[in-house]
Amino acid sequence: MRALMTKLEQATALDRAGDRLQRAVQATLRPQRVRDLLHGVFLGHPLHPAMVQVPVGAWISAAVVDLLPGQRRAATTLVALGTVSAVPAAVAGLNDWAELSRDQRRVGLVHAAANTVGLTLYAGSLAARLTGRHGVGRALAYLGLGAASAGAYLAYKQGAQVSQSVSELHRMSDGWQPVAELAGLPQRTLVTREVDDVSVLLYRHGDEVTVMLERCPHQSGPLGEGEVQEIAGHACVVCPWHGSAFRLNGGEVVHGPSATDQQVLPTRIVDGTLQTRLP
Ligand code: FES
């Protein structure tokens, strides 16, 4: 399966269709607050994987109920619930997909294609059941479940959207550690330092210094190479890879595609030396 994933990631033949779809998604899903809503910024958790629980649960339940005698109505209801709820989940997924790097978009495109086939088969299943052809409806539903499962497997393997930075904390040792001399830190400028091999981002404002992990929680982009922007009255660092923005005085995510905050570390000044430790 790893070889298949690598092949998909390198399948440049998918780029033309992928680039077109990406432009269409970005032109349609506007403004930024709509995209943030669909990314799950308000939840602090990616929305797409949460939303897909409804269609997946309904469709798997329908597959079980279809095996029982006298349950046609229940199965039809479950197929209808899954089919209707899959549409907004797909919109949220497209919104996430449009922000991925090109190689990830290739895998995502196949994931989306498999799910589109699955959704079409379930829509056919629903139409068949509503017109009394329950045998056809059952067969189409099982085919749809197969297609949707293949799509879900690709997304699971790709593992996008989990916070990619907090695992770095395991490499930091306990206790306060020196990071920099306060006097040498420039004002309102992004500075990177290493603490036990973990890259941290420093931002000084007056005598206050924020220390946060430098790797973006979205997909480990180097925030130290990002820009400082004023957003909604707060200084924020904007990730250079996909544009997520995090407040520099607390790490809260302001704009996606990241749906999780950046990890900020405690600080103190001792004899003019900035120190930090594990939260
Ligand atoms: S790595 Fe994607 S927004 Fe930072």
Side-chain angles (χ1 to χ4, degrees):
M1 282 318 292
R2 184 174 294 173
L4 172 66
M5 291 296 286
T6 305
K7 270 196 180 145
L8 285 177
E9 283 174 357
Q10 294 170 351
T12 52
L14 297 171
D15 288 346
R16 215 160 139 210
D19 290 352
R20 266 198 207 144
L21 182 59
Q22 184 196 31
R23 281 195 294 276
V25 171
Q26 287 176 336
T28 308
L29 299 178
R30 305 177 71 158
Q32 176 76 45
R33 63 175 172 278
V34 172
R35 289 208 287 270
D36 287 343
L37 183 80
L38 291 168
H39 285 312
V41 169
F42 70 103
L43 262 182
H45 186 283
L47 195 56
H48 173 65
M51 291 178 84
V52 297
Q53 305 301 317
V54 181
V56 168
W59 286 340
I60 291 176
S61 302
V64 174
V65 170
D66 263 338
L67 296 174
L68 307 174
Q71 297 296 332
R72 287 178 170 176
R73 234 173 124 179
T76 302
T77 304
L78 286 165
V79 168
L81 173 65
T83 305
V84 170
S85 61
V87 176
V91 173
L94 276 172
N95 186 50
D96 288 345
W97 170 84
E99 309 279 0
L100 296 175
S101 59
R102 229 177 189 183
D103 54 344
Q104 292 170 323
R105 284 207 308 273
R106 291 172 192 145
V107 180
L109 198 63
V110 180
H111 161 77
N115 282 344
T116 303
V117 170
L119 181 56
T120 306
L121 287 165
Y122 270 109
S125 167
L126 182 60
R129 290 167 198 259
L130 291 174
T131 51
R133 292 170 296 147
H134 289 274
V136 175
R138 260 199 302 274
L140 289 175
Y142 282 120
L143 289 173
L145 190 61
S149 301
Y153 180 77
L154 286 177
Y156 173 74
K157 290 299 282 181
Q158 193 171 45
Q161 292 286 21
V162 178
S163 175
Q164 301 289 313
S165 61
V166 287
S167 58
E168 299 209 320
L169 292 175
H170 298 300
R171 303 212 310 271
M172 272 178 71
S173 35
D174 287 333
W176 289 100
Q177 309 203 45
V179 190
E181 292 304 309
L182 182 64
L185 282 179
Q187 291 282 352
R188 302 183 185 217
T189 304
L190 299 175
V191 173
T192 54
R193 288 283 188 278
E194 302 269 311
V195 179
D196 281 343
D197 250 8
V198 176
S199 187
V200 293
L201 185 71
L202 317 182
Y203 183 76
R204 180 178 180 184
H205 184 193
D207 279 345
E208 299 285 315
V209 184
T210 297
V211 178
M212 60 170 64
L213 293 178
E214 198 250 336
R215 291 287 148 187
C216 178
H218 179 227
Q219 286 178 2
S220 298
L223 293 180
E225 295 169 25
E227 281 181 11
V228 177
Q229 284 182 16
E230 188 88 2
I231 301 174
H234 297 279
C236 297
V237 56
V238 178
C239 179
W241 282 8
H242 311 110
S244 291
F246 306 91
R247 279 173 56 170
L248 278 161
N249 64 353
E252 293 90 351
V253 60
V254 178
H255 290 316
S258 175
T260 48
D261 299 338
Q262 179 57 309
Q263 180 70 57
V264 170
L265 305 180
T267 58
R268 71 178 185 185
I269 309 282
V270 177
D271 295 334
T273 301
L274 174 70
Q275 299 183 345
T276 193
R277 64 168 170 77
L278 284 168

